[in-house]
Amino acid sequence: MTPPSFSPGLFDRLDAEWALLCSDGSVRAVVAGWLTADQLGPGIAAACDVWVSDLGPEHVLAVLRPAGRPGFGDSLSDGVLRALLRRASGAGGAAVLAARVVLQTMVPAAVRLARSQVRSFGGRCFEDVAQVVVAALFETVVSGRIHARPGRPAANLMLDALKRACRELGADRDSLDADVFGAKEQICSGPGPYEHAYASTVRAAAHAAGLASDEEPDRGRLELLGLLVDAIESGVLSPADARAIAWHYTVSPVPDARAAAAAGTTAGAWQRRRSRAVHALRASLRPVG
């Protein structure tokens, strides 16, 4: 199996391909093997009211995308999604198949994201934007990045795909060279279910890292906090470095003297820390190559 090709009628093609995968005996056998190895079969079978021996891709999708509960599922769906993401980061056809299952799970969110980006990035038709969004989502799925921060893995997955898609769509207007703190211009408008989950996840993680303030964050502020939390997790920034940025780039900045006192340093040292942190964060966001 090869990664999905992106062409006009993309989401219809993905749905048609999915139906074929679900009817393929070899695909069903591979999926059943995963569920047995990861000890997920009994839970999925109970949720879908089927025998473990009858499980296939459609049952995995049913758990990952529960009927009547759009957005993100419970602990079972989170565990299944994390297991699939681990497999998708490997090599070979089995890894691509795992990524394809995840991709199908996220199709509704990808449709919403593509529609919102048609509005944000004028001059592109829906199918052009859809190709960028699905490519960004697929690249995110196979990247091996599984967030450790609290929150639903699906929300974190769509956040990372959103960043990739917005950067790609914004490249035509040279937005990648803009100040990272103008990211609010890149984020899509019109909140959907995954965006609400993303906002909740970012707020919780930012609060745990000491980045949040009392103000209600707007979309640009949430994007900045998300970048900072990611930078801490990846080792690009220390928590103190991230706080030096978060406390300054906000509607009501914390005075350097007060921030420095809280950190046990001087205002000058705190300003130098912020400058170095901004440089490191910008460098980490530049495309490689």
Side-chain angles (χ1 to χ4, degrees):
M1 180 179 176
T2 58
S5 59
F6 308 131
S7 58
L10 174 58
F11 292 114
D12 288 339
R13 288 174 59 87
L14 289 176
D15 287 341
E17 182 186 67
W18 178 252
L20 293 176
L21 289 174
C22 289
S23 64
D24 188 318
S26 62
V27 170
R28 299 183 72 84
V30 170
V31 172
W34 292 344
L35 300 180
T36 299
D38 295 335
Q39 299 182 332
L40 295 169
I44 295 177
C48 297
D49 194 24
V50 298
W51 295 105
V52 172
S53 58
D54 293 332
L55 289 175
E58 69 275 18
H59 301 110
V60 176
L61 183 65
V63 167
L64 291 172
R65 214 201 285 172
R69 292 188 342 180
F72 311 103
D74 53 18
S75 59
L76 175 61
S77 63
D78 285 357
V80 172
L81 181 55
R82 290 183 192 278
L84 286 172
L85 289 172
R86 286 192 292 271
R87 292 186 175 278
S89 65
V96 175
L97 177 58
R100 182 63 182 85
V101 176
V102 177
L103 182 63
Q104 189 67 26
T105 301
M106 308 311 295
V107 161
V111 171
R112 290 191 295 271
L113 176 55
R115 285 174 177 164
S116 69
Q117 294 309 299
V118 169
R119 294 193 299 270
S120 298
F121 295 90
R124 293 179 185 244
C125 69
F126 174 78
E127 288 298 334
D128 288 342
V129 174
Q131 290 179 37
V132 174
V133 167
V134 174
L137 178 56
F138 190 85
E139 290 169 3
T140 303
V141 170
V142 301
S143 69
R145 179 172 174 78
I146 305 175
H147 289 271
R149 69 183 183 228
R152 304 299 190 189
N156 294 330
L157 178 66
M158 285 309 300
L159 168 60
D160 286 346
L162 172 65
K163 292 175 182 176
R164 287 177 184 263
C166 286
R167 287 171 188 158
E168 176 66 23
L169 290 167
D172 288 345
R173 37 187 217 190
D174 297 325
S175 59
L176 282 175
D177 292 331
D179 191 305
V180 66
F181 304 111
K184 64 179 67 178
E185 296 177 2
Q186 297 294 328
I187 209 74
C188 64
S189 58
Y194 84 87
E195 292 180 276
H196 290 299
Y198 149 54
S200 177
T201 297
V202 169
R203 281 195 295 266
H207 179 76
L211 307 180
S213 60
D214 293 334
E215 68 190 59
E216 180 65 23
D218 61 14
R219 298 181 66 79
R221 175 69 173 169
L222 281 171
E223 174 69 1
L224 172 58
L225 292 175
L227 289 174
L228 293 175
V229 170
D230 289 347
I232 292 173
E233 290 181 354
S234 63
V236 171
L237 298 179
S238 69
D241 291 338
R243 286 192 288 271
I245 294 175
W247 293 358
H248 181 76
Y249 292 97
T250 181
V251 174
S252 302
V254 177
D256 286 337
R258 195 172 84 192
T265 186
T266 66
W270 186 252
Q271 291 165 359
R272 289 191 293 274
R273 175 187 287 275
R274 181 171 64 246
S275 179
R276 291 192 298 268
V278 168
H279 178 78
L281 183 60
R282 283 176 173 157
S284 72
L285 296 174
R286 292 193 188 106
V288 178

